[in-house]
Amino acid sequence: MNPPQEELNEVQSRFDSNLAKAQQLEQQIAQLQSELKALQQPLIEDQGAIKALKKCVETTVEQIA
């Protein structure tokens, strides 16, 4: 069995490593959420444009036929 100080050092090191990784993941999640939020309005706008353009194309095709 490891001496208490050695075990403490190992556990503390593992804790510090896991904490740093968790903080890094939290930052990445926040960044991704920000990117997602920034994309939402353009997606809505593009969705409306696609709907309008499809209707325009369908009308044009019907007039040609």
Side-chain angles (χ1 to χ4, degrees):
M1 182 164 196
N2 294 339
Q5 184 62 46
E6 186 176 322
E7 191 167 343
L8 170 61
N9 292 344
E10 289 175 11
V11 172
Q12 184 69 51
S13 177
R14 186 173 59 239
F15 173 83
D16 293 343
S17 176
N18 288 337
L19 181 60
K21 180 65 175 176
Q23 290 171 336
Q24 181 184 19
L25 289 172
E26 286 176 342
Q27 289 175 349
Q28 290 174 347
I29 289 168
Q31 176 64 32
L32 290 171
Q33 286 175 330
S34 176
E35 290 177 27
L36 174 61
K37 187 175 181 178
L39 285 173
Q40 287 175 335
Q41 187 61 35
L43 284 169
I44 291 168
E45 292 170 6
D46 287 346
Q47 189 176 32
I50 288 169
K51 184 177 179 179
L53 289 167
K54 277 185 177 181
K55 187 173 184 176
C56 181
V57 167
E58 290 169 0
T59 303
T60 303
V61 169
E62 288 173 1
Q63 290 175 353
I64 294 172

